[in-house]
Structures are given as C-alpha cells and as structure tokens.
Amino acid sequence: MVTIRDDHALARDLAAEAGERLLALRSRDGHDDPAALRHAGDNESHAFLIESLSRLRPDDVILSEEGTREERLDPRRQVAERVWIIDPLDGTREFGEQGRADWAVHVALWHRTPVQPADGPAAVGPSAEATGAASAGSGSVISPPRGSGTLIAGAVALPAQGITLSTAAPPALPARREGPIRIAVSRTRPPEFVQKLAGLVGAELVPMGSAGAKIAAVVTGEVEAYVHGGGQYEWDSAAPVAVALAAGAFASRIDGSPLTYNQENPSLPDILVSLPDLAPTLLAGIRDVHR
C-alpha cells in the first residue's frame, strides 16, 4: 500500500511497489516467452506508476520512457513547475533473462528553478538533489543555470536485489577500496572510448545491465565509476543521478558539463558517475582518449 509523507517518500514507495509488482509478474509468468514477459513488464509497471502519480500528484506532469510520442512532446512539460521523470522498467532485456538481477525501476522528481531578477540572488538548488555536475573532488553541486531546474527527489528500486535506494534516506557513499578502478559499462554495447579509458587509467571494466543498476553500483561500492557514451535518455539516469548526488557522488556529462533534465529533447547521450575523488582523473582520461 502506497503511503505519502513527502516527495522523497513517495518516489521511494512507488519505485518499491512497482518493483514488487514486477517480481510477482516474473514469478507468475515465468521465462518461457521472454519477449512477452518484457512487454508485460514495461506496460504494467508504466500503468501502475502513471495511475499512482496522476492520482497522488494530479497537478504534476510526467515524462515516462513508455509514454507515447505525443505524451513525451506534451508542451505542458516545458512550462510545468514539477515533472516526474520515470523509467518503469530499466533493463528490460535483463528482466526477461532468468536469474538476472541488474534491472530497476526509476522514479525522479524535477522542479523548475524560478528565473531570478538580474540583480537578484543566483538560483541555488538543494545540494543533495540538484541537477548538474558536482565539483570534482567533493560532493558539492554547481548551481543550475537561471530558469532551469533541479532533481529534488528520486528512487531506484532494484527488486531482484531486494533494495531500494532513495533520496528519502540517502545511503552513505563507501570509501574507495585499494586496487584498480572498477568502471561499470554496458554489457551489450560498451563504448569503445571507455575501453581505451580503462587502459589509460588502469581500470577494470565491469559489464552490467540497466543504467540504474550501474549507477547504484557506484553508490553501494560494487564499482567506483560508471561511464557511458551514446544512446540514453533522461529517464535512464534521472532517478539514479538524484540518489547518487544525494549520497555525495560526482555526476556530469563526459565533458564535465552539467546533466540537465526536462529538456524539450529528452536525449541525454553520455554520463559519468563516480566517487568524487576519481572525477578529475576520469575526466582528464576521457579528454585524452578523445583527442
């Protein structure tokens, strides 16, 4: 039963319940027809989250991976004060594979930053949830551009792993372990530049499924970084980035520029999430391999 205390708790509760429903679906339908299971998972989780958010936050707008083209292009999203960015089933491929646990449910809330007068104070988002790159070497966050917005709440449910990470109670970022840097990469399409980066900085590549699972692995200490380039959208990273920033991790585009959400075009093709002290090394390495 979904409970409401605030947006942080709502994101957590909805992601967790959607995850429980996906586990039940997986158990009920089995893996004899993976394509049908994946299709049902996408549709049923989307329907649950859309119904819940529409009922519990009726004045807010929703951007979902499973929304129609018309819904994604809804002009209200560009003027809305609050936009929920959701991925009802991140890692659909892995969800359809028996025994795999690297799939997730993402629920994030973006809030518009009011434009300040020219002589007014600069807009400053909450340090734990603000969208944008944290300054390398710390968990602090650069203030968003005037008139943009911030991620103010988020949750990533990893149902098959039995955990939900959220901004309601941000996890403590683990200390870096000794040894090579471990970088999470796509198990199906690891970027060539990341393989070169690994050679340059002496890192080990750790293939995983969903983007949410990879960013969560940084937060939990399974890896020290996640680097990706090419072929993602806002819903792939909004919720896990909100959690990672709340935990004190670094997050940016691979050129070091801020991650921005609720854009007219939701494409967000590249990302770096890492322990903060590793960000300067990784950004420098990425620049070197792109020269």
Side-chain angles (χ1 to χ4, degrees), residues 1 50 54 103 106 130 139 145 179 191 207 235-236 244 247 262 270 283 285 291:
M1 185 70 171
I50 292 295
S54 298
W103 51 275
H106 299 177
W235 46 76
D236 291 308
N262 194 36
D270 58 74
L283 287 170
R291 284 176 179 168

Side-chain angles (χ1 to χ4, degrees), residues 17-224:
E17 183 164 341
E20 290 300 318
R21 288 168 177 255
L22 286 167
L23 285 176
L25 172 67
R26 215 183 190 198
S27 176
R28 184 188 74 225
D29 290 6
H31 291 79
D32 291 341
D33 188 344
L37 177 63
R38 291 168 178 137
H39 182 71
D42 280 333
N43 288 346
E44 292 187 20
S45 187
H46 173 75
F48 165 71
L49 290 173
I50 292 295
E51 187 281 328
S52 298
L53 286 170
S54 298
R55 173 170 46 86
L56 299 170
R57 297 291 189 271
D59 296 329
D60 296 351
V61 177
I62 305 169
L63 172 64
S64 171
E65 178 184 19
E66 301 306 322
T68 65
R69 183 175 183 275
E70 290 72 22
E71 289 169 338
R72 293 180 188 175
L73 296 176
D74 186 344
R76 294 179 303 159
R77 191 165 60 79
Q78 294 308 304
V79 295
E81 182 179 351
R82 290 159 51 96
V83 178
W84 292 89
I85 304 175
I86 63 173
D87 191 339
L89 176 52
D90 184 51
T92 305
R93 177 194 297 268
E94 287 72 27
F95 177 73
E97 297 180 24
Q98 191 165 11
R100 294 208 70 95
D102 48 348
W103 51 275
V105 177
H106 299 177
V107 178
L109 176 60
W110 176 95
H111 188 277
R112 186 172 303 281
T113 304
V115 177
Q116 298 289 341
D119 57 350
V124 179
S127 63
E129 294 89 23
T131 303
S135 58
S138 75
S140 61
V141 178
I142 296 174
S143 300
R146 292 170 181 247
S148 63
T150 59
L151 295 172
I152 63 169
V156 180
L158 300 161
Q161 299 179 36
I163 61 174
T164 299
L165 304 173
S166 82
T167 56
L173 200 66
R176 180 184 172 186
R177 62 148 203 169
E178 293 186 6
I181 302 170
R182 296 168 296 179
I183 300 177
V185 294
S186 170
R187 62 183 284 248
T188 58
R189 48 191 176 92
E192 182 180 352
F193 83 87
V194 181
Q195 300 177 46
K196 295 178 180 177
L197 173 66
L200 185 64
V201 301
E204 297 175 355
L205 299 183
V206 182
M208 293 186 190
S210 82
K214 289 189 276 283
I215 297 174
V218 177
V219 175
T220 61
E222 188 176 346
V223 298
E224 286 74 47

